[in-house]
Amino acid sequence: MFHIKICGVRLKADIDAVSQAGGDAVGLNFFPPSVRYLDPACSTTSELSEYAGRCGLYRVGVFVNKPADQIRRVIDTVGLDAIQLHGDELVTDIAGWVDLGLPLIRAVKIPGRKLTAREIEDRVRPWTDAGCHVLLDADAGSAHGGMGRSLDWDSLRGWSEQFATVRWVLAGGLQPENVAEAIRVSGARSVDVASGVESPRGQKSASRITQFCERARNAWG
């Protein structure tokens, strides 16, 4: 999968910033209400995805409550390396997304308060049992992420040490100022950021992307 994903890129300049900073993945947002939305029917979106691929970046398509047939059309048009389900999708519908033939990342949205390892595991296990990678994000309600809310990193450390058997992704409220601490406390080996590297909201900052990637890599040593 990836170590550092910058989600919600919209410009080739964003791709350049991620590549030069040492990130290894980008998220292409296909959720229309989002400030980071990309229209899959627009030629510039395909060009952006192609450019990210040429730069050696792992391209993750972010979808919210989209049926498999609609996701397939985006894959065929844009070209992706993985699918991220970031809505209210049900694990009972997993077969349709599996048939798309790409790795699946399930965003498991959890409260930012302290949680027991069992409370986290009960949310995560159905998806890992179904073969998904998991991305742990703060529950942002109908906004479905990208709101800068953080998780309780101590709780994630407790869960990971007790239950996690596969690498998971930490998201939610990460930014250059806290990513090293988040990694140290939670034990995450993979991180995802959107709003934390923006200035203003919805517009990626090359300097913040650079700071984020450097501090994450230094935290892992």
Side-chain angles (χ1 to χ4, degrees), residues 19 23-25 51-58:
S19 180
D24 54 355
Y51 185 63
R54 291 203 309 269
C55 289
L57 298 174
Y58 195 73

Side-chain angles (χ1 to χ4, degrees), residues 3-204:
H3 288 287
I4 301 173
K5 171 169 162 266
I6 307 299
C7 200
V9 296
R10 303 184 71 242
L11 303 171
K12 286 187 176 181
D14 300 338
I15 301 297
D16 289 335
V18 176
S19 180
Q20 292 165 13
D24 54 355
V26 291
L28 306 177
N29 190 317
F30 298 113
F31 180 46
S34 174
V35 68
R36 305 169 188 92
Y37 172 68
L38 294 171
D39 183 350
C42 183
S43 62
T44 56
T45 300
S46 297
E47 291 168 4
L48 186 72
S49 178
E50 181 183 359
Y51 185 63
R54 291 203 309 269
C55 289
L57 298 174
Y58 195 73
R59 301 163 300 172
V60 180
V62 179
F63 299 91
V64 174
N65 301 329
K66 287 293 184 185
D69 60 333
Q70 292 185 29
I71 295 178
R72 184 181 296 281
R73 286 197 290 272
V74 175
I75 295 170
D76 292 342
T77 301
V78 173
L80 296 171
D81 300 305
I83 299 162
Q84 181 173 314
L85 304 174
H86 212 100
D88 305 308
E89 298 88 359
L90 300 176
V91 72
T92 50
D93 296 325
I94 193 71
W97 297 305
V98 169
D99 287 345
L100 296 174
L102 293 181
L104 293 176
I105 303 168
R106 171 55 169 160
V108 178
K109 290 170 279 189
I110 60 179
R113 60 179 170 81
K114 280 197 170 294
L115 296 168
T116 67
R118 173 51 65 182
E119 286 177 311
I120 297 172
E121 179 67 2
D122 286 346
R123 290 168 167 82
V124 168
R125 178 59 61 179
W127 293 98
T128 55
D129 282 350
C132 293
H133 302 272
V134 291
L135 179 150
L136 303 184
D137 198 3
D139 192 343
S142 61
H144 296 290
M147 300 302 291
R149 300 178 184 177
S150 297
L151 298 174
D152 184 80
W153 303 326
D154 282 309
S155 296
L156 298 184
R157 160 87 59 182
W159 161 75
S160 181
E161 290 179 345
Q162 185 173 347
F163 289 107
T165 57
V166 296
R167 195 169 79 191
W168 49 280
V169 183
L170 174 63
L174 298 180
Q175 52 187 296
E177 293 79 6
N178 67 10
V179 66
E181 178 74 358
I183 289 169
R184 183 188 67 79
V185 175
S186 71
R189 301 294 299 175
S190 180
V191 291
D192 180 289
V193 63
S195 62
V197 292
E198 294 176 349
S199 181
R201 183 172 181 266
Q203 182 175 316
K204 292 293 183 281

